[in-house]
Amino acid sequence: MKLNGKIAVVTGGAMGNGLGIVNVFLKYGAKVIILDYSDKLENTVNELKNSGYEIDGYKVDIRNKEEVTKIINQVGSKYGKINILVNNAGVCKLDTFENMDDELRDFHFDINIKGTWNVTKATLPYMKNINASIINLSSVTGPMVADSGEVAYATTKAALIGFTKGLSRELVDYSIRVNAIMPGYILTPMVENMAVETNKENSNSVINSIASAIPMKRLGTPEELGELTAFLASDESSYITGQGIVIDGGSTLPETMSMGV
Ligand SMILES: NC(=O)c1ccc[n+]([C@@H]2O[C@H](COP(=O)([O-])OP(=O)(O)OC[C@H]3O[C@@H](n4cnc5c(N)ncnc54)[C@H](O)[C@@H]3O)[C@@H](O)[C@H]2O)c1
């Protein structure tokens, strides 16, 4: 199995994309440590433990640098190394640039950018010279496309591409690869909540209309995202670093919605 013996830290693994990544990592033989601030964490970890997997969870807000560092030091001392870090935890609340207050802007900046920074900084000492891999969850939103209400979110996801490029250049000297994943729409609690924000009475119609605009006519699954993450985490992607890989069912492909035979 391609992740046998690897120690993987996944942030935001209690649900959604993070949980899809965790499931695929466990399937490929990794030991997984989840960092998440959700009350759902305990349930997620217990269910996976009961299925016989090697998994641990720590309830922490990645904005809390001291707490994150303490936990990562515990994990690092227990295993002596951390092979894989997936910076997946992230948030998105829709509001227009004109309406959004600084507090909601900073909510995005503090979690999506500074939280990722905190976890990476704490984990780095345990990743040197073991062919480790860091994967940052960016998005097609920001670097490539955007819908209205996503200015703050798009700003942070574009920033993570810069973070990936800068960091990959420096960490190559420690044999650490750093890549970003740029998903289109994946069906997760985040997207379900955004659909409710968009249309409280009929959020399903929002999901259906997102699907109809995607060439594959469906949203992606967290497990499909997990498979790409596992590839980037594994030694099979050993010559790939500093890249942003799109996984979107072709959603960024159409030039128009009306032309074509
Ligand atoms: N779902 C999509 O369509 C999509 C598309 C592109 C990128 N992404 C990215 O994928 C990642 C996961 O998104 P998702 O859709 O699964 O979201 P989600 O809201 O369904 O799950 C996010 C998880 O992260 C955790 N989390 C959030 N903030 C945290 C914090 N400060 N500290 C600790 N844990 C925290 C949450 O508790 C939750 O378990 C995000 O970075 C998101 O930007 C998602």
Side-chain angles (χ1 to χ4, degrees), residues 174 189 206 218:
Y174 295 122
V206 179
R218 66 177 179 86

Side-chain angles (χ1 to χ4, degrees), residues 1 6 11 14 21 39 44 80 87 97 105 111 118 135 142 155 173 205 214 218 245 258:
M1 285 190 289
K6 306 249 191 210
T11 68
I21 293 165
D39 291 337
T44 300
N87 285 310
F97 177 72
R105 178 201 62 195
I111 294 178
N118 290 340
I135 297 131
T155 302
D173 297 339
S205 73
I214 299 170
R218 66 177 179 86
I245 316 280
S258 44

Side-chain angles (χ1 to χ4, degrees), residues 10 13 21 33 35 58-59 73 78 80 101 108 114 124 136 140 159 166 169 181 186 217-219 228 238:
V10 180
I21 293 165
I33 297 96
L35 269 51
Y58 292 87
K59 194 163 183 203
N73 283 340
K78 182 170 174 187
D101 57 28
H108 290 88
K114 291 191 200 170
L124 177 58
N136 300 315
V140 294
R169 182 61 195 90
I181 294 182
I186 312 288
K217 300 293 174 217
R218 66 177 179 86
L219 283 71
L228 173 59
S238 51

Side-chain angles (χ1 to χ4, degrees), residues 11-19 21 35-40 60-64 87-92 107 110-112 115 137-141 153 156-157 160 181-191 193-194 219 222 225:
T11 68
M15 66 181 101
N17 286 338
L19 181 54
I21 293 165
L35 269 51
D36 201 304
Y37 68 4
S38 165
D39 291 337
K40 294 194 175 150
V60 64
D61 186 328
I62 59 166
R63 286 173 290 189
N64 187 336
N87 285 310
N88 163 80
V91 290
C92 179
F107 178 66
D110 288 348
I111 294 178
N112 296 1
L137 262 290
S138 174
S139 176
V140 294
T141 306
Y153 179 74
T156 64
K157 293 291 148 175
L160 289 185
I181 294 182
M182 301 158 74
Y185 278 105
I186 312 288
L187 192 55
T188 66
M190 176 191 276
V191 169
N193 292 336
M194 284 163 67
L219 283 71
L225 179 73

